Amino acid sequence: YEILSGLVGSEMCIRDRPSLSSLRKLNDFFGLEEDELLLPPTKFKQLISVRPKPSQETADEPFERYIASVNDCVEQASDFLTPYFGLYHDYYYSPSNPGYLMKGLVSLYQKGGKSFIRSIERLPYKDKNKTRHFHTKYHGIATVIQDRLIFTDIETKVQSNWGQRIYYPANRARIDLLSGLSMAIEGGLSHQPFCSRAVLERLDDDVNLKEVIGECSLYAVDSPLIRDDIKEKLGLHLPLENTMMVAKP
């Protein structure tokens, strides 16, 4: 707004004066009283110069609000997730190994009134004449939005990978298979973002932990070791573009 100079004291003229509602918005944004914005320039400058500058805490408020919102969601989800606590085998199409599924192990558990996940993946590799496995571990949080189960996790050791999975709830009293989508960053050198159909297979409470971890590996999409209903939920009978999507730069 243009302030015409040459006037004495408060005898100032403001051209294109904003509306009353706009003035209130400006006052609220800058933390001013209603009459302070209309002060002469010299007095307004003096007023602003003695006002305390925003602290670093104010700059952090958006992040703190986000963390508080996530914390509320996690706490409110615990009751809903209680029947789901336990071990699962996790299946999704491997973006770095075309024609193969990744089978991992996921633990959904509660601690301090909040729900968390831990998972492990085993990627096979050749060491001379032997097949060995490289282990990758993840940890994260579990919550619920509109009855959808949401797992968000990050690679534990060096935080080199991040992912989020969203599953439909069980439609029966007995939890068996949960289908959904997995979105993450490929663990290879390309670090491509990808999205794949995903399935959780509930495991019995008395399973041998060493055995179920030993089953984690890469499997061919037509492997007889993978249940047919899991293959169907993963959409393996459909074209690849209906099963997995990889983003290109």
Side-chain angles (χ1 to χ4, degrees), residues 133-145:
H133 286 81
F134 178 78
H135 293 68
T136 305
K137 297 180 180 180
Y138 300 84
H139 67 279
I141 59 173
T143 186
V144 176
I145 301 293

Side-chain angles (χ1 to χ4, degrees), residues 65-138:
R65 286 197 300 269
Y66 170 76
I67 294 299
S69 297
V70 172
N71 186 67
D72 290 343
C73 287
V74 172
E75 289 183 343
Q76 294 169 9
S78 289
D79 289 343
F80 183 94
L81 290 172
T82 296
Y84 294 91
F85 292 150
L87 290 175
Y88 297 82
H89 270 142
D90 174 36
Y91 301 84
Y92 65 89
Y93 198 96
S94 173
S96 53
N97 299 276
Y100 285 84
L101 302 176
M102 174 62 75
K103 179 179 180 179
L105 183 68
V106 176
S107 172
L108 174 60
Y109 65 99
Q110 186 182 58
K111 184 176 181 180
K114 298 181 176 66
S115 302
F116 300 93
I117 59 169
R118 289 179 182 172
S119 60
I120 185 170
E121 294 178 346
R122 300 170 73 242
L123 189 65
Y125 67 94
K126 289 291 185 181
D127 181 10
K128 296 181 180 180
N129 296 325
K130 294 183 178 181
T131 299
R132 301 184 184 276
H133 286 81
F134 178 78
H135 293 68
T136 305
K137 297 180 180 180
Y138 300 84

Side-chain angles (χ1 to χ4, degrees), residues 35-73:
D35 58 339
E36 291 176 340
L37 195 61
L38 301 178
L39 288 172
T42 53
K43 291 187 177 181
F44 184 78
K45 185 176 181 180
Q46 292 174 356
L47 174 69
I48 295 300
S49 65
V50 298
R51 287 280 177 91
K53 295 182 178 180
S55 64
Q56 186 61 38
E57 292 182 357
T58 302
D60 292 339
E61 283 181 1
F63 177 75
E64 292 172 352
R65 286 197 300 269
Y66 170 76
I67 294 299
S69 297
V70 172
N71 186 67
D72 290 343
C73 287

Side-chain angles (χ1 to χ4, degrees), residues 192-211:
Q192 293 182 111
F194 76 94
C195 181
S196 168
R197 294 193 184 198
V199 173
L200 285 180
E201 177 190 18
R202 180 68 176 261
L203 302 178
D204 294 333
D205 295 335
D206 58 350
V207 295
N208 184 299
L209 187 59
K210 185 176 181 180
E211 290 182 359

